[in-house]
Amino acid sequence: MRHCSRLLFLLLLSMLIVSCTSSSRIAKNMNSKRYSLAYIQDSDIASVKDSVSLRIDSVVFNVPDMRDSTIVKKEKGWFLPLVLVYVWKAQHNCVQGKMMMEEDLPSFCKNSLSDEMKRSGRFQVDTLKSSNYVLEVSIDEMKTTGPYVSSGFFYFAFYVYGYSYADNAGPAISMLRVSYKLKKGDQLVHSNSFFAEKKTEQIVKRYTNINILQQDYAVSMVEACSYNFKRINEQIVTDLNTFFARK
């Protein structure tokens, strides 16, 4: 009987250690790989181009509170020991860092926006200093954050015992705000700001390896950022098309 009680105690202890996923472990797995922001361009191609030319002069990353690595903080948690049942739940908040993405963010913004202008802009895209207009771009807000929940239970009665545990990730909310100034020489002729937001799907299916779950959560965050860049790039080009059409 003593041997059985000891075995149950060790089993309970091991289950608690395995099931209560730590913040540091989640962060380590989410930072373990980098994922590309690249997306498929599927906007309508502008078949006719005006003679006006435009180049992107600079892209400034103006988000000082975005850290290099993804941060995971435990927000709340509890462990409830009952007579024959042990129940636990812990919720963490995951805030995306730059290291999650392969690309340098200002460079990606500049290159992807330039590609979109070449595709759907009704104007010429020129990288030379002889362009009629220059564009100064600023990434003013960029944040992706979402919950990560670990929960489960363990029960035993005499020689009967059982357990269940699961980790769920998301949904995460990704936000991006980009502004630009259009100049002709030293004169500011037009400016605007655009905001995009994307909500990821919650990952609820059971994983035998929670490392993969946490990496899949990181992928979903990067995909949401990619969606926001795509949406804003298309909005900027539409806005520029409208501006030049009025000239």
Side-chain angles (χ1 to χ4, degrees):
M1 187 67 180
R2 178 182 294 180
H3 177 72
C4 182
S5 299
R6 183 179 300 174
L7 179 61
L8 287 174
F9 173 77
L10 292 175
L11 179 60
L12 172 60
L13 182 62
S14 64
M15 284 303 304
L16 293 177
I17 293 173
V18 170
S19 303
C20 296
T21 310
S22 68
S23 298
S24 59
R25 180 180 179 184
I26 299 169
K28 181 179 179 180
N29 285 323
M30 294 187 76
N31 286 313
S32 63
K33 296 182 180 181
R34 294 192 174 195
Y35 307 96
S36 178
L37 285 165
Y39 59 83
I40 298 174
Q41 292 184 328
D42 54 6
S43 57
D44 294 336
I45 299 175
S47 55
V48 179
K49 302 283 186 176
D50 295 332
S51 59
V52 63
S53 60
L54 169 66
R55 67 180 174 86
I56 301 175
D57 183 57
S58 62
V59 176
V60 178
F61 188 77
N62 191 27
V63 191
D65 58 340
M66 187 176 187
R67 303 198 178 186
D68 289 335
S69 60
T70 298
I71 304 299
V72 180
K73 293 184 178 180
K74 187 174 181 180
E75 289 190 326
K76 56 185 176 181
W78 47 264
F79 171 64
L80 183 62
L82 302 175
V83 178
L84 299 174
V85 180
Y86 292 79
V87 184
W88 68 89
K89 184 175 183 179
Q91 180 168 320
H92 309 263
N93 185 48
C94 305
V95 183
Q96 183 187 52
K98 299 176 188 175
M99 288 175 57
M100 193 182 284
M101 292 159 280
E102 284 184 354
E103 296 86 355
D104 172 73
L105 292 173
S107 297
F108 175 79
C109 181
K110 183 176 183 178
N111 293 334
S112 62
L113 178 55
S114 178
D115 289 342
E116 183 58 41
M117 290 193 301
K118 292 174 183 177
R119 179 182 178 87
S120 60
R122 294 194 293 270
F123 48 84
Q124 304 291 331
V125 180
D126 194 354
T127 59
L128 302 177
K129 293 184 179 181
S130 58
S131 300
N132 304 122
Y133 296 87
V134 296
L135 204 65
E136 296 177 355
V137 182
S138 175
I139 302 173
D140 301 318
E141 180 182 359
M142 184 175 182
K143 185 175 183 180
T144 306
T145 181
Y148 185 97
V149 179
S150 177
S151 60
F153 68 86
F154 173 84
Y155 69 88
F156 67 93
F158 299 103
Y159 299 103
V160 180
Y161 63 88
Y163 63 88
S164 177
Y165 66 93
D167 285 15
N168 298 326
I173 303 294
S174 181
M175 297 176 289
L176 179 67
R177 189 182 304 276
V178 177
S179 61
Y180 78 83
K181 295 178 181 179
L182 181 66
K183 292 184 176 182
K184 188 173 185 180
D186 294 329
Q187 181 183 3
L188 176 65
V189 295
H190 185 59
S191 63
N192 213 335
S193 178
F194 296 95
F195 176 79
E197 181 177 294
K198 178 67 173 178
K199 184 178 182 179
T200 70
E201 296 290 335
Q202 184 182 37
I203 305 176
V204 296
K205 60 184 179 180
R206 180 177 291 276
Y207 282 69
T208 55
N209 185 345
I210 61 172
N211 293 353
I212 298 177
L213 166 65
Q214 292 153 13
Q215 291 170 4
D216 284 353
Y217 193 25
V219 170
S220 72
M221 286 185 167
V222 175
E223 288 177 344
C225 291
S226 177
Y227 170 88
N228 287 338
F229 270 110
K230 172 181 170 62
R231 185 177 176 187
I232 285 182
N233 285 343
E234 292 174 351
Q235 289 174 338
I236 290 176
V237 174
T238 298
D239 189 57
L240 289 170
N241 284 339
T242 302
F243 171 79
F244 289 126
R246 295 172 180 169
K247 300 297 289 182

